[in-house]
Amino acid sequence: MTVIEELVRSLGEAVLTGDRISQRHRSDASLTGSSLPKAVIRPASVADVAAALIICDRHRQSVVPQGGMTGLAGGANPNAADIVISLERMTGIEEIDSAAATMTVLAGTPLEMAQRAAEEAGFLLPIDLGARGSCQIGGNLATNAGGIRVIRHGVTRDNVLGLEAVLADGTVLSSLNKMVKNNTGYDLRQFFIGSEGTLGIITRAVLRLRPLPAGRLTALCALGSYADVVALLKRAQQQLSGLSAYEAMWDSYFGFNCAAEGLQFFETPPAFAVIIERDTHGLDGDREAFEAFLGQVLEDGLIGDALIAQSEKEAQAFWRVREGHALDRLPYLVNLDLSLPIGAVGSFAEKCGAALRDAFPSAHVSFFGHVADSNLHIAFSVEDADADAETLHEVDEIVYALVGCYHGSISAEHGIGILKRDFLDRSRSPAEIEIMRRIKTALDPNGILNPGKVLGRS
Ligand SMILES: Cc1cc2nc3c(=O)[nH]c(=O)nc-3n(C[C@H](O)[C@H](O)[C@H](O)COP(=O)(O)OP(=O)(O)OC[C@H]3O[C@@H](n4cnc5c(N)ncnc54)[C@H](O)[C@@H]3O)c2cc1C
């Protein structure tokens, strides 16, 4: 019996082949995937996932886990010979434990659905990113997603207390722990968080919830130098309780997106613009303290100007510029995602911008980032349609060589997937890569889970 025949016998209608496979299984949001898989399995339960993996492992059949397909590293892209396991039917909140402040959720649940359920119960689920409407909790864990709230509550990894995953041989590893403290040997959940579907299929998670803020105060500041961006961050961390976002935009990025949105915030375009946000808990004087802080840093010359949003609509206008949707319309847009020591980000951006503009004089190159988390993004776009693959490779070479010089990371939050796999050695030592390979072999000896992603085939 073929692997497909066995899967159909075991899982019936959950197995799709031929014309029943939707185009959306071809590529994640990097738009770099070109093949449809030979089958898509849509399990409805953990038992279904285990049954599918037992059959695939016996047949040495490669399997690609898919969540919401919003990844930006090509990690969920299949080849024509792969079978996809899509978690889309495994959605739902199983429990909100108010005493423990935890939420137990199935891996296919869209992030936004989980956020809403937490809010209805009076809590904040602190994982948040622009793709919230489509990405799934399982995908967020598998990529260890970051986002704009990391400054306050950490990356996804910091908000996961328990996890259930199915290994390549069908073993269900259930560690649905709800406690913050649990020092009982190796922390197995951490193997799967950030493993991009190469070590197991995540089926459930216990997420940590926080008190729901009563509101948020948002300001947009104009600054003259990167040194001031860092100095303002330090002051905000010292003096503003509840700092929940600190997003920096270089003039190249801020100017482009303000023009595209038809918005002008400052009379003179600033060298840097920063969005500062703080959570409030309904206490008297929250707004006054925020205004006093901004007044003081203005007086000290750290900022040239500041606008405090007077309404949700005004705050959204600041965020529209930061989200930069106008960039999506640029041809061949590449969004590079890097980590660098915070103090070095300014000089890196200067050198990197100069090198890219030197090599591609007509390219769009702009910088923005979650600076407090040492995370810099570069938006790069070039008109020349003929130069596609070659251009992208040259851009990667220029940027990652410089990242290596600064001892930075080639991926801050998007993961390695397939797009950064060949550059992994710019950020990880041979010893680290060898240990990763050993872990992979121990958990997936037949190499069926997402082969070729993160580490490449050995
Ligand atoms: C508009 C937009 C904004 C974004 N903003 C951010 C941001 O601020 N921060 C950030 O970090 N990322 C961001 N991303 C990237 C992306 O949204 C995240 O990487 C997200 O966590 C991916 O989730 P997903 O469910 O879409 O996963 P997919 O894209 O489906 O898969 C991603 C990887 O996880 C694996 N995987 C998926 N589900 C499972 C599972 N259940 N078990 C095991 N492996 C699995 C896949 O094989 C693949 O390797 C953004 C993307 C877009 C399009």
Side-chain angles (χ1 to χ4, degrees):
M1 212 184 280
T2 66
V3 63
I4 304 278
E5 285 165 347
E6 262 199 70
L7 286 166
V8 171
R9 196 174 64 172
S10 170
L11 296 159
E13 286 293 299
V15 183
L16 308 179
T17 54
D19 291 349
R20 295 181 68 212
I21 299 178
S22 150
Q23 292 298 323
R24 73 196 146 81
H25 294 289
R26 199 183 284 277
S27 179
D28 68 8
S30 70
L31 303 181
T32 51
S34 53
S35 308
L36 282 177
K38 69 179 179 192
V40 172
I41 306 173
R42 298 168 69 239
S45 66
V46 180
D48 284 355
V49 176
L53 285 175
I54 289 169
I55 294 168
C56 290
D57 200 40
R58 189 158 13 87
H59 284 267
R60 307 291 187 262
Q61 168 62 54
S62 54
V63 171
V64 177
Q66 288 188 350
M69 300 300 276
T70 68
L72 294 169
N77 295 351
N79 288 321
D82 295 330
I83 287 182
V84 157
I85 294 189
S86 167
L87 278 290
E88 64 200 332
R89 284 170 74 206
M90 290 183 56
T91 64
I93 315 299
E94 294 198 324
E95 187 200 30
I96 293 183
D97 181 333
S98 299
T102 60
M103 165 186 268
T104 306
V105 60
L106 285 165
T109 308
L111 173 60
E112 197 167 34
M113 186 191 285
Q115 288 175 331
R116 286 222 184 100
E119 268 182 44
E120 279 161 21
F123 288 101
L124 172 78
L125 172 60
I127 304 167
D128 192 23
L129 42 141
R132 63 183 76 77
S134 311
C135 64
Q136 299 176 0
I137 295 295
N140 299 150
L141 267 64
T143 56
N144 186 27
I148 55 176
R149 304 283 164 218
V150 171
I151 185 173
R152 181 137 165 79
H153 299 295
V155 290
T156 293
R157 190 185 291 291
D158 302 314
N159 293 292
V160 179
L161 290 174
L163 175 149
E164 178 184 80
V166 185
L167 303 187
D169 66 0
T171 303
V172 179
L173 192 68
S174 205
S175 305
L176 294 171
N177 165 71
K178 286 185 182 176
M179 290 91 68
V180 172
K181 291 187 172 176
N182 183 359
N183 279 353
T184 47
Y186 303 144
D187 191 347
L188 299 177
R189 81 198 135 146
Q190 299 297 357
F191 280 120
F192 302 95
I193 302 172
S195 70
E196 300 180 57
T198 61
L199 298 181
I201 298 195
I202 298 166
T203 45
R204 275 195 183 86
V206 180
L207 305 175
R208 201 170 172 185
L209 303 176
R210 317 283 170 150
L212 191 62
R216 276 195 177 123
L217 293 166
T218 313
L220 179 70
C221 304
L223 296 93
S225 70
Y226 183 74
D228 289 345
V229 172
V230 176
L232 178 64
L233 170 65
K234 297 297 157 213
R235 286 281 288 275
Q237 284 172 325
Q238 274 166 359
Q239 295 170 6
L240 274 184
S241 64
L243 184 65
S244 57
Y246 190 89
E247 296 291 307
M249 295 168 269
W250 275 243
D251 54 350
S252 50
Y253 185 89
F254 186 67
F256 177 88
N257 286 296
C258 281
E261 295 286 344
L263 292 166
Q264 190 188 347
F265 295 106
F266 304 110
E267 257 174 44
T268 318
F272 291 86
V274 168
I275 295 179
I276 298 188
E277 210 162 71
R278 74 171 288 208
D279 287 348
T280 59
H281 289 283
L283 301 173
D284 286 344
D286 273 340
R287 174 170 280 273
E288 289 73 12
F290 193 53
E291 285 171 359
F293 169 78
L294 291 168
Q296 191 58 55
V297 288
L298 185 69
E299 205 176 301
D300 296 346
L302 263 190
I303 60 175
D305 202 352
L307 302 170
I308 301 177
Q310 301 301 323
S311 63
E312 182 59 28
K313 201 172 155 210
E314 277 184 29
Q316 278 171 7
F318 300 165
W319 280 110
R320 264 211 321 280
V321 174
R322 164 59 183 83
E323 279 161 12
H325 293 301
L327 288 163
D328 296 338
R329 296 193 285 275
L330 292 177
Y332 297 98
L333 179 70
V334 183
N335 180 353
L336 291 129
D337 160 49
L338 314 168
S339 248
L340 297 144
I342 293 179
V345 170
S347 95
F348 174 90
E350 248 173 60
K351 283 197 186 140
C352 188
L356 287 173
R357 288 184 190 106
D358 231 28
F360 306 100
S362 64
H364 168 97
V365 183
S366 61
F367 296 87
F368 61 107
H370 321 289
V371 164
D373 321 329
S374 58
N375 187 178
L376 179 71
H377 290 289
I378 308 173
F380 174 90
S381 161
V382 68
E383 291 282 350
D384 187 358
D386 300 328
D388 193 16
E390 230 173 85
T391 304
L392 295 190
H393 190 73
E394 202 181 332
V395 170
D396 286 345
E397 286 288 356
I398 292 172
V399 175
Y400 298 148
L402 206 52
V403 170
C405 298
Y406 277 79
H407 305 292
S409 163
I410 60 165
S411 175
E413 54 179 18
H414 295 165
I416 295 297
I418 197 132
L419 299 183
K420 296 188 177 182
R421 184 193 64 196
D422 298 340
F423 298 96
L424 187 61
D425 62 359
R426 309 291 155 92
S427 290
R428 292 302 198 120
S429 68
E432 286 176 307
I433 293 173
E434 172 55 22
I435 294 297
M436 289 189 208
R437 281 196 191 285
R438 284 195 221 167
I439 293 170
K440 168 77 176 164
T441 307
L443 294 184
D444 177 18
N446 296 321
I448 64 157
L449 282 174
N450 225 357
K453 311 290 169 52
V454 183
L455 291 171
R457 294 165 202 267
S458 45

